[in-house]
Amino acid sequence: RPVGENPPGGAILDYYFKSEPSEEVTLEISDAQGNLVRRYSSKEQKKTEQPPEWPDLSKPPETIPAKAGMNRFAWNLRYASPVETPGAFYAGNGPEGPLVLPGTYQVKMTEGGQSQTAPLEIKPDPRVKAADADLRRQFELAMKVRERITELHKAVNQIRDLRSQLQILKKRLAEQASAKPGVQQVLDAAAALDMKMTAVEQELIQIKMKSSEGNLRYPNMLNEQFDSFRYSVESADAAPPKQVFDVFDHLSGRLDAQLAAWKQITAQDVAALNDMIRKQEIPALEAASAP
């Protein structure tokens, strides 16, 4: 196992508080156009944790320190990560936001209504000879991948949230099924809906994957394929070749088909089930718009 500690990766930000802040401290990084790149907070953020299968895996910090005296935080030079899906396994840290392009950025720290800003310049690696336009093409593709992963994860989260509602519904109605014929129809429709949802979910994510190396036994689905593709996009400081864009179009087309199927399920099957539920005077189901 590793015995040493590498220096922090990224931009090292040092800041000082005369006394320990009593309120939340935020750190915002913006690009030269004022667009927000990343936002951090001194409050603990609820994050999805993967079982510690790799003791040497170093996860980038998500919470900034805010104590009296000197503080240090290392920004990993990445945009915010995509929406997470609890229970998803990856060989590494999972999907992350793209690396920023070289250029001028602004760091803004806020506490108790008071803010201070400082410029931050990101310089290219002097060993890299790629043209700015090539790095821009790579960055734009990486941003598209992040958005596609976010759409995928939102759909998985919505499916699993709706399934939780179905399970509660089944438990609540199980004892009434024999006494009320209409209740059994609701249960049958709920089971049919669950099957349709599962068919979409199985295409979006490998539901049998229970470890970071589960794909040695089960095939990668769209979620795992997009994460592997993300690594390929960042594998070199250069413009991605045509084949990489072709793979992105292929994965995106498959994702669009599953998202369309999920949209149809929510518009038709969930609506039909809710009509049956209302006739039995049972609270309706709802497909969440956010995870």
Side-chain angles (χ1 to χ4, degrees):
R1 296 187 181 184
V3 294
E5 184 176 352
N6 291 324
I12 299 175
L13 309 177
D14 294 316
Y15 48 98
Y16 172 85
F17 291 108
K18 185 176 181 180
S19 58
E20 184 167 344
S22 58
E23 301 181 35
E24 177 187 19
V25 178
T26 61
L27 177 68
E28 296 177 323
I29 302 157
S30 304
D31 61 18
Q33 289 72 42
N35 301 313
L36 183 65
V37 172
R38 196 73 181 263
R39 183 184 188 276
Y40 293 98
S41 170
S42 60
K43 289 186 176 181
E44 290 287 342
Q45 304 295 311
K46 184 178 180 181
K47 299 290 289 183
T48 300
E49 292 295 336
Q50 190 169 283
E53 302 174 73
W54 305 98
D56 57 342
L57 189 63
S58 177
K59 293 184 72 67
E62 297 288 342
T63 305
I64 59 173
K67 299 179 179 179
M70 288 297 300
N71 294 266
R72 169 169 286 185
F73 180 77
W75 170 44
N76 64 354
L77 304 183
R78 289 186 178 275
Y79 278 73
S81 300
V83 168
E84 293 185 337
T85 288
F89 285 89
Y90 304 96
N93 287 327
E96 296 181 291
L99 288 165
V100 298
L101 290 169
T104 302
Y105 295 81
Q106 184 182 70
V107 180
K108 177 182 178 182
M109 179 162 281
T110 303
E111 189 272 328
Q114 296 184 344
S115 300
Q116 287 191 8
T117 61
L120 174 64
E121 183 180 2
I122 306 298
K123 297 183 178 181
D125 188 325
R127 299 168 297 179
V128 174
K129 306 305 179 183
D132 291 345
D134 290 342
L135 295 179
R136 168 64 62 178
R137 288 191 72 197
Q138 180 187 38
F139 168 76
E140 290 173 349
L141 178 58
M143 289 292 283
K144 290 180 180 179
V145 172
R146 184 186 72 156
E147 295 307 313
R148 299 263 65 188
I149 293 176
T150 289
E151 292 178 86
L152 190 157
H153 284 185
K154 282 184 176 181
V156 172
N157 292 343
Q158 290 167 358
I159 289 172
R160 294 180 175 178
D161 176 75
L162 187 57
R163 181 175 293 115
S164 296
Q165 296 181 58
L166 287 175
Q167 291 171 348
I168 294 173
L169 178 70
K170 292 175 184 178
K171 290 180 180 179
R172 191 164 64 233
L173 299 183
E175 297 179 356
Q176 306 176 30
S178 59
K180 299 176 64 177
V183 170
Q184 185 58 54
Q185 293 178 357
V186 172
L187 291 174
D188 292 343
L193 172 60
D194 198 354
M195 289 183 62
K196 285 190 174 184
M197 291 163 45
T198 299
V200 174
E201 181 186 22
Q202 289 176 338
E203 293 296 322
L204 293 176
I205 188 170
Q206 178 50 263
I207 61 175
K208 295 180 180 180
M209 197 164 175
K210 303 301 180 184
S211 71
S212 61
E213 293 187 339
N215 55 0
L216 296 176
R217 183 178 182 183
Y218 303 109
N220 284 338
M221 305 309 288
L222 276 168
N223 181 55
E224 297 76 38
Q225 291 167 359
F226 262 110
D227 189 51
S228 298
F229 180 72
R230 180 181 65 88
Y231 279 106
S232 298
V233 174
E234 291 189 348
S235 61
D237 295 310
K242 177 182 180 299
Q243 294 90 330
V244 171
F245 288 95
D246 290 342
V247 172
F248 175 74
D249 291 339
H250 173 70
L251 291 175
S252 288
R254 289 171 52 202
L255 176 58
D256 286 336
Q258 297 306 318
L259 294 179
W262 171 234
K263 184 177 180 180
Q264 184 176 15
I265 289 172
T266 58
Q268 297 181 6
D269 298 83
V270 175
L273 178 58
N274 276 331
D275 287 340
M276 299 175 63
I277 285 174
R278 291 188 186 96
K279 292 177 181 178
Q280 300 298 322
E281 299 182 349
I282 303 169
L285 302 174
E286 179 180 359
S289 59

